[in-house]
Amino acid sequence: MADWLLKSEPETYSWDDLVAEGRTEWTGVRNAAAALHLKAMQIGDRGFFYHSGKPKEIVGTVEVTRTAQQDGEEARWVSVEIAPRAPLARPVTLAAIKAEPRLAGMELLRQSRLSVSPVRAAEWDAIAQLGSAAE
């Protein structure tokens, strides 16, 4: 199993939209590196749902429910299906991620323009801890 971060502008598609729909096709990714990440996803992989607008923050967790299929006319572009798992008790802001030493190497910070990126196990644990209700 692998962990991922999926970014969406909340004005275009938000966490609340995903929760209301129960699942969605993650379409429209047109970056080669991000498309490779989508192709690597397996059923049951986890992901963080990140609002890339204002405020920039991780708001929930998702699960991959279907592997990659072609998205559009070109075979290199793919989509996956995801479903919501749970909201974070407390959103984890980009500022909090930047301030956390355990997250200094996170792809979100290294390649900030990617809409889909991998998350290492230690990074997942750190974000989950930051997003928990306990202080």
Side-chain angles (χ1 to χ4, degrees):
M1 294 300 194
D3 298 323
W4 307 95
L5 181 122
L6 297 98
K7 293 165 66 173
S8 181
E9 295 277 342
E11 303 80 31
T12 303
Y13 194 81
S14 71
W15 170 257
D16 290 339
D17 294 329
L18 177 60
V19 170
E21 292 178 7
R23 62 186 57 237
T24 195
E25 194 68 24
W26 203 260
T27 61
V29 174
R30 296 299 184 263
N31 173 282
L36 287 174
H37 296 317
L38 288 174
K39 289 176 184 178
M41 290 181 179
Q42 298 297 311
I43 293 171
D45 282 1
R46 303 179 298 184
F48 284 121
F49 194 103
Y50 180 87
H51 280 163
S52 57
K54 294 195 186 278
K56 293 176 175 14
E57 59 189 6
I58 296 172
V59 295
T61 61
V62 300
E63 181 174 341
V64 176
T65 54
R66 199 209 66 256
T67 58
Q69 69 179 22
Q70 188 169 325
D71 178 21
E73 298 296 317
E74 295 183 49
R76 67 182 175 155
W77 304 131
V78 297
S79 64
V80 298
E81 183 184 76
I82 62 168
R85 288 182 73 191
L88 294 185
R90 184 176 55 225
V92 178
T93 65
L94 180 58
I97 292 167
K98 288 180 176 181
E100 174 56 57
R102 296 175 293 172
L103 300 175
M106 193 170 180
E107 294 301 313
L108 172 66
L109 303 178
R110 292 181 358 88
Q111 295 183 317
S112 63
R113 298 194 54 84
L114 280 184
S115 59
V116 179
S117 59
V119 175
R120 294 169 193 87
E123 295 166 345
W124 182 279
D125 293 343
I127 291 169
Q129 182 182 30
L130 291 170
S132 71
E135 288 292 325

